[in-house]
Amino acid sequence: RSTLDRHTILKTTLVELGRTLDLAECALWMPSRSGLNLQLSHTLHHQMPLGSVVSINLPVVNQVFSSNRAVRIPHTCPLARIRPQTGRYVPPEVVAVRVPLLHLSNFQINDWPELSAKSYAIMVLMLPSDSARKWHIHELELVEVVADQVAVALSHAAILEESMRARDLLMEQNVALDSARREAEMAIRARNDFLAVMNHEMRTPMHAVIALSSLLLETELTPEKRLMIETVLKSSNLLAALINDVLDLSKLEDGSFELEIANFNLHAVFREVINLIKPIAAIKKLSVSVTLAPDLPLCAIGDEKRLMQTILNVAGNAVKFTKEGHISITASVARSDSSRDPRAPEFSPVTSDRHFDLRVQIKDTGCGISPQDLPHIFTKFAHSRNSANKASNGSGLGLAICRRFVSLMEGQIWLESEGIGKGCTATFIVKLGICDPSGNLQQILQTTPSHGDANLPGPRAKFDDENGKFTPMMRYQRSV
């Protein structure tokens, strides 16, 4: 047992037993791969050819297997088919002892057997045939002890070999994984560089197409030309949204996306949303309204662009899947005692002096969502199985990206629908910072871009796009 090499253990065992007991031959029979035979794997003097096979169902084999002691066997049996090469012939004394294979599965290595019905090998020991020696009881006890010790040593050797093979395999896998990781990182960088360039280069002409199409719609056109311009405008908006979604998705997936936190005019975000979805809604003759709660802060701290993109994506879906009726957008401050929703039981807004939770709810009178589609609505590239939606199916990225944005803003998003043709309500809550009243509110008011009405909506503002107008119900005071 000074080594944990199986073949060295067995060869040393046979040599030492042969020298100690003055044996004529010592051999080891191992179970074959099929488990139906015993195969001669090691001999001391090679008086039998290695690889010889005997059936495992022989009576003498069953006799050895059924006893934990050394068993005398006939010298003429298949396990001891040895004839003396010189000298007068005297039938030799032969004993056989089973060697338990304590960890049989570990012997499935290289030229060793796999699984056999009998988890034993057999060691055969033969005294010289030209002497009158007999086996003594203490010699048989020694053979039994050696057989047990060999079994333990073989088990340790097999476990070590398996662990070494596992270590080598793990090292190979680690090298392959490291190489694959480097290749993946290079591919991600190349992809992101390509997407960034394409996004930048495609966005400029796309915005020009959208702007010019909107201007053309305000001119006098024949019905046929108006239909063509409206188709160009809708397709351009869809393509622009897809370009933005692909770039954002790539950044979200590789973990390189970061929110751009800054002060911004919260009310102006909703005004921008109305201005952006107004052309498409007007084409479909849909009314769009936005209602801001009285306690909704004018300014907030957060990622204005991603908040606007989330609202625009959800509202854009509402417009896309609504043929007639209206879309309403409601914004308010979420309260911990009233905003807990059964569809988002794990989420509960927590207000503080530095943060508040913005709750945005978008309702439409569109085609609705079937109950079986609701669990998959935020999955990438998932499309509704509702046949009514197939004509308007997009890339399947918008809502998936919205959920990632909302999650980054420590919020929750969910959808409700009573079924096909009954409209849909999308709700999300995000955490925003509270601006310091003594800070740069004046600068925010002055730098906020305006479209149409220069006055910002007040605490009870309502945008009504049914007539394409924005109606302020109350003006903000410029001083604080």
Side-chain angles (χ1 to χ4, degrees), residues 33-65:
R33 293 183 177 274
S34 64
L36 301 177
N37 302 302
L38 290 176
Q39 187 174 11
L40 187 63
S41 62
H42 294 78
T43 62
L44 179 58
H45 297 303
H46 307 292
Q47 297 188 33
M48 293 182 65
L50 293 178
S52 300
V53 176
V54 298
S55 173
I56 204 168
N57 295 318
L58 292 177
V60 65
V61 174
N62 291 327
Q63 179 187 2
V64 177
F65 280 172

Side-chain angles (χ1 to χ4, degrees), residues 89-398:
Y89 178 73
V90 176
E93 288 237 340
V94 183
V95 297
V97 62
R98 70 186 189 187
V99 179
L101 302 181
L102 304 180
H103 216 289
L104 187 62
S105 63
N106 289 314
F107 287 85
Q108 303 173 20
I109 304 172
N110 300 332
D111 57 331
W112 286 56
E114 294 181 356
L115 186 62
S116 66
K118 303 292 184 180
S119 56
Y120 299 106
I122 292 181
M123 185 184 298
V124 177
L125 304 95
M126 181 179 298
L127 293 177
S129 59
D130 57 350
S131 69
R133 278 186 56 198
K134 303 294 183 183
W135 284 101
H136 297 287
I137 188 64
H138 67 274
E139 292 178 328
L140 297 179
E141 291 176 352
L142 174 63
V143 169
E144 294 162 3
V145 171
V146 169
D148 289 338
Q149 293 299 312
V150 167
V152 174
L154 288 178
S155 178
H156 290 172
I159 293 173
L160 177 64
E161 287 189 20
E162 184 172 321
S163 65
M164 296 291 286
R165 288 203 315 146
R167 184 199 65 180
D168 295 341
L169 179 61
L170 183 60
M171 291 179 62
E172 293 176 1
Q173 291 175 343
N174 287 340
V175 171
L177 287 174
D178 188 61
S179 176
R181 178 184 58 80
R182 290 195 299 269
E183 293 178 359
E185 289 175 350
M186 293 176 60
I188 289 173
R189 286 195 296 269
R191 180 198 65 181
N192 289 347
D193 292 343
F194 171 78
L195 289 176
V197 172
M198 293 303 296
N199 181 273
H200 179 270
E201 297 299 326
M202 294 176 66
R203 193 182 309 211
T204 301
M206 191 56 58
H207 284 177
V209 172
I210 294 173
L212 292 175
S213 299
S214 300
L215 290 175
L216 283 174
L217 286 175
E218 298 177 2
T219 63
E220 293 184 4
L221 298 170
T222 64
E224 183 180 359
K225 290 182 179 179
R226 181 170 295 276
L227 180 60
M228 289 189 291
I229 297 299
E230 289 174 352
T231 303
V232 171
L233 181 61
K234 287 190 291 185
S235 301
S236 300
N237 276 291
L238 289 175
L239 184 56
L242 180 59
I243 293 171
N244 292 331
D245 288 348
V246 170
L247 183 63
D248 289 338
L249 183 66
S250 65
K251 290 183 178 180
L252 287 168
E253 288 186 339
D254 63 26
S256 63
F257 186 88
E258 294 182 359
L259 295 177
E260 300 174 3
I261 306 300
N263 294 351
F264 67 94
N265 189 317
L266 181 58
H267 288 225
V269 168
F270 292 92
R271 185 175 61 193
E272 291 294 325
V273 169
I274 285 294
N275 289 331
L276 289 171
I277 67 174
K278 179 171 61 176
I280 302 297
I283 290 173
K284 303 180 72 173
K285 295 181 173 58
L286 301 175
S287 64
V288 182
S289 63
V290 177
T291 303
L292 306 183
D295 60 345
L296 188 69
L298 169 63
C299 66
I301 302 174
D303 191 328
E304 177 185 12
K305 181 180 178 182
R306 304 310 169 188
L307 176 61
M308 181 182 296
Q309 188 172 344
T310 302
I311 302 172
L312 188 60
N313 232 326
V314 179
N317 273 350
V319 173
K320 181 194 303 183
F321 295 112
T322 301
K323 292 184 177 180
E324 58 183 14
H326 67 275
I327 291 93
S328 64
I329 304 174
T330 305
S332 61
V333 176
R335 306 297 179 185
S336 58
D337 55 347
S338 61
S339 59
R340 184 181 293 273
D341 192 274
R343 284 155 297 277
E346 73 281 1
F347 180 78
S348 179
V350 178
T351 57
S352 68
D353 295 335
R354 301 178 59 88
H355 297 87
F356 72 96
D357 290 284
L358 172 67
R359 180 189 182 98
V360 179
Q361 193 170 68
I362 300 173
K363 295 183 179 181
D364 64 66
T365 57
C367 59
I369 304 173
S370 63
Q372 60 267 30
D373 286 334
L374 274 175
H376 311 288
I377 204 68
F378 293 103
T379 303
K380 285 189 306 181
F381 308 113
H383 297 281
S384 172
R385 292 188 290 270
N386 175 19
S387 58
N389 295 353
K390 289 182 180 178
S392 301
N393 269 344
S395 63
L397 290 176

Side-chain angles (χ1 to χ4, degrees), residues 445-479:
L445 294 173
Q446 293 175 354
T447 57
T448 300
S450 61
H451 299 270
D453 197 319
N455 295 304
L456 295 175
R460 297 198 39 144
K462 181 174 182 181
F463 302 85
D464 192 345
D465 195 47
E466 186 172 2
N467 300 316
K469 296 180 180 180
F470 156 68
T471 305
M473 299 177 63
M474 179 178 178
R475 300 177 186 270
Y476 273 108
Q477 299 296 325
R478 290 291 180 171
S479 60

Side-chain angles (χ1 to χ4, degrees), residues 6-8 10-11 14 25-30 39-44 46 50 112:
R6 294 168 299 132
H7 297 285
T8 303
L10 293 176
K11 190 63 179 178
L14 300 187
E25 185 59 283
C26 188
L28 184 74
W29 296 82
M30 290 289 294
Q39 187 174 11
L40 187 63
S41 62
H42 294 78
T43 62
L44 179 58
H46 307 292
L50 293 178
W112 286 56

